[in-house]
Amino acid sequence: MTNKNPDILVIGAGIIGASCAYYLARDGARVTVIDSGGPGGVATPASFAWINASWGNPQPYFRLRREAMAEWRRLAVALPNLRISFSGGLCWDLGPDDMDAYLRDHGAWGYGIRRVNRSEAARLEPRLADPPAAAVYVAEEGAVEPRAAALNLLSAAERQGARVVAGTAVRGLILRGDRVEGALTDGGEIHADEVLLAAGAASPGIAATAGVTLPLTTPPGLLVSSRPHERLLNGLVMAPDLHMRQTAEGRIVAGADFGGSNPQTDADATARAVFAMLQSMLAGGARLEMEGHSTGYRPTPVDGFPVIGRPKDRSGLYIAVMHSGITLAPAIGRFAAEELLRGRRDRLLAPYGPARFSP
Ligand SMILES: Cc1cc2nc3c(=O)[nH]c(=O)nc-3n(C[C@H](O)[C@H](O)[C@H](O)COP(=O)(O)OP(=O)(O)OC[C@H]3O[C@@H](n4cnc5c(N)ncnc54)[C@H](O)[C@@H]3O)c2cc1C
């Protein structure tokens, strides 16, 4: 692209759209963000929001996640009001062989991971009722208050001239030949040099209006939240039956794992069971009171990896849809801006283009 200051329409004001808007506006684009709801996202506020490059992923994806973790640290300097903490993660939700492999592989890849025994686990998290005999600890992991972070990024984008239009739905993309030229919205047509689609779970329907296939699953994830309480957790805890963390305001957020529990047929009953588990795992946990629970739908491409880049045979359109969007958001925003404004696609994105679904 020769135009260094293109008009870019970002569809979706969750953490991904907000981050893309921030980096694009920072780097000179004229940005409009449009969202059918209020700013801050749909999956985003329902997220556990663990920032990690933890076990279970191949090395290329590990490297993208690790770069995103580094970008969160840079962002925390640029935007000091981001509510982010790198409080470390204590993890023992895997068997002994998998734990050995995790320590070996991620250690070799440069992750700041180490094995801890029961007494060190108890020192790290003194309120655990039954500290594990063996666990791994990663000091560089953290969490962010996800909706607040998205709002913060949008405000920073607005300070750079971006416009945020809330409460206006996109009905479809405007396609002329092979080129996407904008979007048809409830408020009329919006034309742009580029459209960046970051509408989370709603993205496949919007992409389809330009003939683009985006296979996505949206598994539900239920998380419980306590009322604010004095500090019981220092960092993130990933135990076999429960993942939990304490927010800046003192709420403990927990689910069967970070992706949340399956709400089953009775979400209230599931939430009560998760909360009882949480209480049993912490000394003093009986004093915790449940504030509520939420069920979010995790925008998860069918192969589990992010979709980021231009679809096959369509110019003017760029897609950014993924799970682990909290971890990945700042890297995705920076890389999207580099690609859209300078034509450079970062090598870390190589496996993740949407064209992999259009052979
Ligand atoms: C229970 C749960 C736990 C999770 N845990 C983690 C975790 O620990 N770590 C991690 O990294 N990730 C986690 N995730 C995943 C992460 O939250 C998501 O990947 C991320 O929030 C996706 O952000 P998004 O901006 O793409 O989507 P969203 O936040 O859903 O935002 C999309 C936006 O698009 C808007 N939109 C939709 N349709 C239209 C339309 N037609 N027109 C205009 N706007 C539209 C919506 O209103 C919404 O604001 C979790 C998710 C859930 C649900």
Side-chain angles (χ1 to χ4, degrees), residues 311-322:
K312 193 175 171 197
D313 299 333
R314 289 286 176 275
S315 57
L317 179 62
Y318 194 92
I319 297 178
V321 179
M322 66 211 68

Side-chain angles (χ1 to χ4, degrees), residues 71-82 84 86:
E71 188 64 23
W72 269 119
R73 286 180 187 271
R74 292 189 277 269
L75 203 51
V77 176
L79 303 178
N81 293 330
L82 273 182
I84 188 164
F86 298 98

